[in-house]
Amino acid sequence: MNPSPVAAAVSAARRSRHRPAGFTLIELMVTVAVAALVVGLGVPSILHTLARHAIDAQAEELQDAVRVGRSEAMKRSGPVVLCRTEENNPGHCAGSGGSWQTWVLFTDAARSGTFAAGDSMLRQHQDASKRTTVTADAASIRFEATGIAHADTGSAVFVLAERGAADHAQRRQVCVNPRGEVAIVAGDSRCP
């Protein structure tokens, strides 16, 4: 027996309403393409933001070390030294300017300009991220009891940048003048 035409139409309508759940291959491919586009556009922005944050954090840490060095020299009525160290020998002051990835801040009881027995270490920085570069022509800054800062190059300017990047907009400079005052300036701006 053949079903009536009305029964056949109702049966066909029921079958069309019960489509299997899930995605078609085309829907899945479009979704993956949109997700890849969003990730592709977002990742560089996130990396740029992380690099800027790392530069700002290191600039603030260096600025804080200068302020602490000046303050401690005045409080102790004796010299305090902030010096660049070599990564493989973080307790020894380097003899020239260059990479300030590692540094030490200490009281200079013997007035030798180098970290020695009897000196108290106030701060030490060892860069683990390797995301930024910190450079300066000065090898050290000596803070006197009067608050005056003596860098072997006159004023000390630390340049912080993203490693391998040519973008000067993200660059920061930590400027220390002979009075021991410190400021952070953006990009290639002149130090105050």
Side-chain angles (χ1 to χ4, degrees):
M1 242 183 158
N2 286 340
S4 71
V6 173
V10 169
S11 177
R14 284 186 186 149
R15 279 194 307 267
S16 69
R17 279 188 275 164
H18 293 288
R19 191 179 120 199
F23 294 106
T24 65
L25 183 58
I26 292 174
E27 290 171 332
L28 184 61
M29 288 174 58
V30 167
T31 303
V32 169
V34 168
L37 182 65
V38 168
V39 168
L41 293 174
V43 167
S45 176
I46 290 170
L47 293 177
H48 185 75
T49 300
L50 289 175
R52 187 178 68 241
H53 176 70
I55 291 168
D56 288 344
Q58 273 199 324
E60 289 170 7
E61 183 178 5
L62 197 52
Q63 180 185 40
D64 189 49
V66 169
R67 287 181 176 157
V68 167
R70 183 174 190 251
S71 173
E72 286 293 318
M74 291 168 41
K75 181 173 90 177
R76 295 171 186 254
S77 296
V80 171
V81 174
L82 173 67
C83 72
R84 177 180 93 79
T85 61
E86 299 293 339
E87 289 184 49
N88 57 356
N89 192 1
H92 184 270
C93 291
S96 62
S99 171
W100 276 73
Q101 297 302 114
T102 60
W103 49 262
V104 64
L105 177 68
F106 61 93
T107 61
D108 191 13
R111 299 180 187 276
S112 64
T114 61
F115 187 65
D119 294 339
S120 298
M121 186 179 300
L122 301 172
R123 299 257 171 110
Q124 184 175 23
H125 176 79
Q126 295 180 341
D127 183 26
S129 74
K130 304 296 185 205
R131 180 172 283 153
T132 61
T133 60
V134 183
T135 57
D137 291 336
S140 65
I141 303 172
R142 178 186 188 87
F143 301 96
E144 301 296 340
T146 59
I148 301 290
H150 298 285
D152 49 359
T153 57
S155 296
V157 179
F158 301 92
V159 179
L160 295 89
E162 182 179 2
R163 189 176 297 279
D167 183 9
H168 290 233
Q170 284 206 153
R171 184 176 284 183
R172 298 287 181 269
Q173 296 179 78
V174 178
C175 309
V176 184
N177 68 23
R179 292 185 305 271
E181 298 166 338
V182 60
I184 298 175
V185 296
D188 291 329
S189 302
R190 295 189 90 176
C191 287

